[in-house]
Every structure is written in C-alpha cells, then in structure tokens.
Amino acid sequence: MAVSACATRPYNAALETTSPVAAYTFANRLPRNSPKLFVVLTFSGGGTRAAAFTLGVLEKLAATKIIVAGESRRLLDEVDVITAVSGGSYTAAYFGLFEDRVFSDFPERFLYRDVHADMITALLSPTQLGKMASSRFNRTDGAA
C-alpha cells in the first residue's frame, strides 16, 4: 500500500505543438449543417435522471422534422453545440462520440446499468487501491 501510494500518472500533459488548422476551436468544430440555423442544447445535471431526460430530448429532436433550404431534415441534424454538466454530460458525450448510436446503445450501456454497483466493485478492486490513494484521484476518476 505504501509503495503504491507514491505512484503518479500525468494529467492533461502539455501539448508539444499546436496548429491553428487542427485547433479545437468553435469555428473548427462546428458541424457542417445549415448556416441559416444555429441550435444550441444545454443539458443540466442530476445523475442518471438527467441522462435519461436528455436522451428523451435527443429522441424528440430526431423525430421533429423541419424544412431547411427546401429540404426536410431532422431538427437534431441542425444542432451546432451541446453544453452539459454532470449527468447530462454522459448523454452529450455519448452523442458527440457516436451520434445516432445513442438511441440504440446508450440505454443499455448506461441508463439501465447498475453504475453504482460497478463503482463499488471498482473501489474494492485491489488494482484500484493505488490510484485511489493518490491525492489526484477524484470522483470523476471513480466514474470513469
């Protein structure tokens, strides 16, 4: 235990080089959808309930048809930005990474999963004890 508590790992290591073309900026990361519409979603926290609620919002936006430049599109396809905190972040991140797979995968992989039991199991794992002893370990690490 004493030896494992001395172990550290880098957090957010400094970038060696940067490029304005590849920079993670608002202008570089906007989706390529209609410039006539700017849609921003803001998802709040509240644990699994917030994640479920925001999934419902995405489902409704996917089911809502609009006409843009004479073309029928889903309102969800016009979303430019999603901001989120806490429980809403799980849905936002999943949608950001996997897009429409959020509707088929996310409920089973997160909403209906016993996340608390998974966290307790991880906390009791001998391989996690060294990480948890670190002063840099926080509840986000536990959730990850």
Side-chain angles (χ1 to χ4, degrees):
M1 287 290 288
V3 172
S4 67
C6 296
T8 61
R9 58 183 172 153
Y11 285 85
N12 295 327
L15 296 174
E16 298 296 326
T17 61
T18 62
S19 164
V21 176
Y24 193 82
T25 63
F26 189 70
N28 287 346
R29 300 300 179 201
L30 277 175
R32 304 295 178 236
N33 54 20
S34 173
K36 297 179 184 254
L37 207 55
F38 186 68
V39 180
V40 178
L41 304 179
T42 302
F43 294 163
S44 67
T48 308
R49 285 180 293 231
F53 178 79
T54 55
L55 178 62
V57 169
L58 294 178
E59 287 172 341
K60 187 63 176 175
L61 292 174
T64 302
K65 302 294 182 197
I66 60 171
I67 304 296
V68 178
E71 183 181 329
S72 179
R73 298 181 48 88
R74 303 180 311 168
L75 184 52
L76 182 62
D77 296 329
E78 294 300 319
V79 172
D80 295 291
V81 177
I82 301 176
T83 65
V85 298
S86 197
S89 297
Y90 291 106
T91 314
Y94 205 93
F95 178 71
L97 289 170
F98 304 114
E99 297 178 349
D100 280 0
R101 281 182 39 200
V102 72
F103 304 121
S104 59
D105 299 351
F106 187 70
E108 194 64 37
R109 295 194 69 179
F110 184 78
L111 291 180
Y112 305 136
R113 185 173 169 178
D114 189 351
V115 176
H116 291 104
D118 290 346
M119 289 174 70
I120 290 169
T121 301
L123 291 174
L124 297 176
S125 167
T127 59
Q128 295 295 321
L129 292 176
K131 292 177 186 176
M132 289 186 302
S134 167
S135 62
R136 294 180 178 219
F137 187 86
N138 59 43
R139 65 186 183 149
T140 303
D141 294 315

